[in-house]
Amino acid sequence: MLDTATNRPELPPEIARRRTFAIISHPDAGKTTLTEKFLLYGGAIQMAGQVRAKGEARRTRSDFMQMEKDRGISVSASAMSFDYNNFRFNLVDTPGHSDFSEDTYRTLTAVDAAVMVIDGAKGVESQTQKLFEVCRLRDLPILTFCNKMDRESRDVFEIIDEIQENLAIDVTPASWPIGVGRDFVGCYDILRDRLELMDRADRNKVAESIEINGLDDPKLAEHVPAHLLEQLQEELEMARELLPPLDPQALLDGTLTPIWFGSAINSFGVKELMDGIGNYGPEPQIQSAQPREISPEETKVSGFVFKVQANMDPKHRDRVAFVRMASGHFKRGMKLTHVRSKKPMAISNPVLFLASDRELAEEAWAGDIIGIPNHGQLRIGDTLTEGEALRVKGIPSFAPELLQGVRAGDPMKAKHLEKALMQFAEEGAAKVFKPSIGSGFIVGVVGQLQFEVLASRIEMEYGLPVRFEQSQFTSARWVSGDKQAVDKFINANKQHISHDHDGDVVYLTRLQWDIDRVERDYPDVRLTATKEMMT
């Protein structure tokens, strides 16, 4: 890996070969299909499942919840590890659906780079833009894959222009498509001067690659129809004049993104993208934390929880905390300190994920993502270290945009409902507020679809039919400030006050006017729309 102009020490080879990245995109750009093909090339699965196909053939690996399989969408981020060439890829598939963007936001705190998938016919869409803003906040390096080139798609220059304008980032082509839609025959690999041809017959077959010397090589004419060849030569000439060359340092700084073209469902262009991630993607990076940052080459082990997934195995009430290792060489059975509670935890059965198949992780290095089964001790934002009190910062929790009351269909089961809701709150799937007056709970989410997912999961995992009902409140704000001021504020606004699952005070609002009134009447009290997930 190119060592940048900084004076950081060389990473141990095991850590330097790690590439931890997330895949982001608008729904339906082909993110899950691309994930499948990554696993196919990494040798993790023998035959890729499709999101839309017949019967058993269609079960994709990374969508493990029943609902994801039924609807063909991903609603929770899942992590996978596999080897490719001499790299170890840790890939996190994120939900593209905007109703689950918070899960995605947190996931992006645990990776070193992002692969942005764009639909060739649609270009940059709203959700892509939102997720991109998050990457920009964190200065994440971004690699772009323009998918679905085998369908009718837009002009290549148009797509590149749109990325440059909407996302304010320089784009350099790493490959160039030859023909589009029906005429799409393959790509010209600019980085390695090769011709990559697509085989439409067998979707799970690796494309054939022909080495050529430059664009004037007569071999090109044997494989590419004359009119397409002429077009390719013209377009490439223009591209070389107008677009910047690939500068590895600019990529790592997050100011330049290389773009590959291909068709994930036909396994085309995926291998070139993977080579790109390996050769140009960042190795594990320094993690910002309090009171000092954590470097990956430190010998002491540390890591942080960026996601909690409950009931991954429907037969057991289990809970797995996804932990991103920030430094050191972790071995199974190590005792780590849980910084929030200051208690030691023996990590005896950590797991590595190959989609829904898990295996025991005997060891893990900085950059890896492991799962730690636990009974609710680990929450999002928790840090694990070998004794030093470090706390990783920057994992946010957002104020919900939709609030509804929730009741169990059977009033005798209210206690069970409370348990189920608390579990989902700790998982970060929803915010659960207990109003200080009256019974029942108020559930807050970012998007409407989350209510359906919650209802279906509570019914499937806890056997409780529930119904959501209209609430008079529309939004929630966390309350902070001087203790006396906050107490005075709570006593005066009892009907608006509730507590979240961490016990923090939350002010439920009906109108923007409520918020303005508090700011006017209680200058010492702060209302915030986000809170960091740690205590």
Side-chain angles (χ1 to χ4, degrees):
M1 178 66 207
L2 307 156
D3 200 25
T4 52
T6 53
N7 47 8
R8 286 205 35 214
E10 189 91 341
L11 289 177
E14 261 309 318
I15 295 180
R17 76 184 195 97
R18 300 284 191 270
R19 296 284 179 274
T20 306
F21 59 97
I23 300 190
I24 60 172
S25 83
H26 196 79
D28 277 346
K31 199 170 37 226
T32 303
T33 308
L34 183 64
T35 307
E36 293 287 294
K37 299 298 172 169
F38 275 4
L39 295 177
L40 181 73
Y41 281 115
I45 55 178
Q46 269 15 109
M47 192 179 147
Q50 290 160 24
V51 181
R52 310 180 183 287
K54 296 188 192 78
E56 270 310 296
R58 74 173 273 257
R59 299 289 168 251
T60 54
R61 288 301 171 98
S62 55
D63 288 353
F64 59 83
M65 262 188 224
Q66 192 56 43
M67 178 147 192
E68 295 180 308
K69 292 178 182 170
D70 295 344
R71 287 195 173 201
I73 55 170
S74 308
V75 295
S76 75
S78 60
M80 281 152 263
S81 307
F82 56 92
D83 286 310
Y84 175 72
N85 293 350
N86 43 5
F87 298 108
R88 162 53 73 89
F89 281 9
N90 296 310
L91 172 152
V92 187
D93 185 18
T94 61
H97 228 282
S98 63
D99 294 2
F100 302 95
S101 50
E102 191 173 347
D103 199 8
T104 308
Y105 198 111
R106 285 193 219 116
T107 301
L108 289 174
T109 57
V111 295
D112 302 314
V115 172
M116 178 165 74
V117 184
I118 287 179
D119 182 334
K122 296 183 184 147
V124 177
E125 297 170 86
S126 56
Q127 189 58 24
T128 320
Q129 197 141 5
K130 265 196 195 154
L131 292 169
F132 184 83
E133 298 296 317
V134 179
C135 297
R136 171 57 52 82
L137 285 174
R138 303 182 47 80
D139 281 332
L140 278 181
I142 292 181
L143 300 98
T144 308
F145 182 69
C146 184
N147 194 13
K148 306 196 179 180
M149 294 308 291
D150 58 321
R151 302 194 186 170
E152 293 311 319
S153 61
R154 292 165 44 183
D155 177 61
V156 181
F157 283 108
E158 221 179 286
I159 296 172
I160 291 180
D161 265 356
E162 188 171 3
I163 298 174
Q164 291 191 342
E165 274 174 34
N166 288 357
L167 307 179
I169 187 169
D170 292 330
V171 180
T172 174
S175 70
W176 199 268
I178 306 173
V180 290
R182 290 248 164 92
D183 301 338
F184 182 64
V185 291
C187 281
Y188 180 71
D189 184 341
I190 297 175
L191 300 179
R192 290 181 297 192
D193 260 343
R194 291 191 138 166
L195 183 64
E196 307 286 346
L197 295 180
M198 182 170 97
D199 178 13
R200 284 179 183 256
D202 183 359
R203 286 184 155 177
N204 288 330
K205 211 174 89 178
V206 180
E208 138 183 51
S209 153
I210 295 152
E211 260 185 77
I212 50 176
N213 308 315
L215 280 174
D216 309 326
D217 193 324
K219 260 196 278 183
L220 265 173
E222 293 169 26
H223 301 283
V224 180
H227 67 286
L228 290 178
L229 180 58
E230 202 175 313
Q231 190 187 343
L232 171 74
Q233 288 166 332
E234 267 174 38
E235 286 182 350
L236 269 178
E237 203 168 300
M238 274 169 68
R240 287 193 168 139
E241 292 291 311
L242 300 170
L243 298 168
L246 179 65
D247 169 4
Q249 190 49 48
L251 192 162
L252 296 179
D253 297 341
T255 57
L256 171 90
T257 174
I259 182 166
W260 280 265
F261 293 88
S263 157
I265 199 153
N266 290 306
S267 310
F268 182 75
V270 178
K271 189 162 163 300
E272 289 69 43
L273 172 64
M274 291 172 81
D275 289 336
I277 296 170
N279 298 332
Y280 300 104
E283 41 196 35
Q285 297 294 303
I286 295 176
Q287 203 62 51
S288 59
Q290 233 106 27
R292 61 174 189 86
E293 29 184 50
I294 307 170
S295 303
E297 68 274 1
E298 290 173 27
T299 48
K300 289 261 189 336
V301 172
S302 65
F304 64 96
V305 179
F306 66 93
K307 169 186 164 65
V308 174
Q309 180 70 52
N311 306 339
M312 275 177 82
D313 181 348
K315 296 188 199 64
H316 305 281
R317 280 267 171 275
D318 68 339
R319 208 178 265 209
V320 176
F322 285 74
V323 175
R324 152 81 197 236
M325 304 309 293
S327 66
H329 178 201
F330 166 84
K331 295 191 186 66
R332 186 160 85 90
M334 272 178 110
K335 270 201 166 55
L336 294 179
T337 304
H338 179 228
V339 175
R340 182 164 54 94
S341 66
K342 304 190 177 52
K343 289 189 180 132
M345 279 181 82
I347 316 289
S348 50
N349 48 359
V351 286
L352 265 181
F353 299 97
L354 279 173
S356 59
D357 307 334
R358 342 172 175 180
E359 44 186 78
L360 271 182
E362 289 302 329
E363 56 169 9
W365 296 80
D368 280 340
I369 289 174
I370 59 171
I372 299 182
N374 66 91
H375 293 291
Q377 303 94 317
L378 290 176
R379 294 199 186 156
I380 294 172
D382 281 353
T383 309
L384 294 169
T385 65
E386 285 196 45
E388 190 181 347
L390 292 170
R391 294 217 297 250
V392 169
K393 57 179 203 270
I395 301 183
S397 173
F398 298 109
E401 292 164 27
L402 297 168
L403 297 176
Q404 288 191 351
V406 58
R407 299 212 177 281
D410 175 357
M412 307 299 288
K413 296 242 171 96
K415 203 78 197 135
H416 296 253
L417 178 65
E418 179 171 354
K419 187 177 158 200
L421 289 175
M422 284 306 153
Q423 176 132 357
F424 290 126
E426 282 172 24
E427 199 181 297
K431 304 283 174 295
V432 175
F433 304 121
K434 179 101 180 86
S436 47
I437 293 181
S439 67
F441 287 90
I442 288 177
V443 175
V445 296
V446 181
Q448 188 59 43
L449 190 60
Q450 275 175 294
F451 283 128
E452 296 176 32
V453 171
L454 277 178
S456 98
R457 285 188 61 189
I458 291 175
E459 191 157 340
M460 283 185 69
E461 294 168 18
Y462 292 87
L464 282 178
V466 293
R467 58 173 196 276
F468 288 105
E469 43 199 43
Q470 228 29 62
S471 154
Q472 55 167 341
F473 301 114
T474 56
S475 187
R477 293 287 181 269
W478 281 278
V479 179
S480 56
D482 172 56
K483 186 167 177 358
Q484 264 177 316
V486 172
D487 287 346
K488 178 182 156 202
F489 169 70
I490 290 176
N491 288 329
N493 295 284
K494 272 244 159 47
Q495 73 282 15
H496 284 267
I497 297 295
S498 67
H499 292 81
D500 68 4
H501 71 283
D502 292 327
D504 294 334
V505 178
V506 175
Y507 177 68
L508 300 175
T509 67
R510 285 185 297 239
L511 311 161
Q512 180 60 38
W513 182 82
D514 286 331
I515 298 175
D516 297 340
R517 182 182 64 91
V518 172
E519 285 170 357
R520 193 185 65 225
D521 297 354
Y522 299 93
D524 304 345
V525 171
R526 276 202 320 284
L527 298 182
T528 53
T530 56
K531 87 169 183 179
E532 284 228 345
M533 304 280 283
M534 58 186 213
T535 35

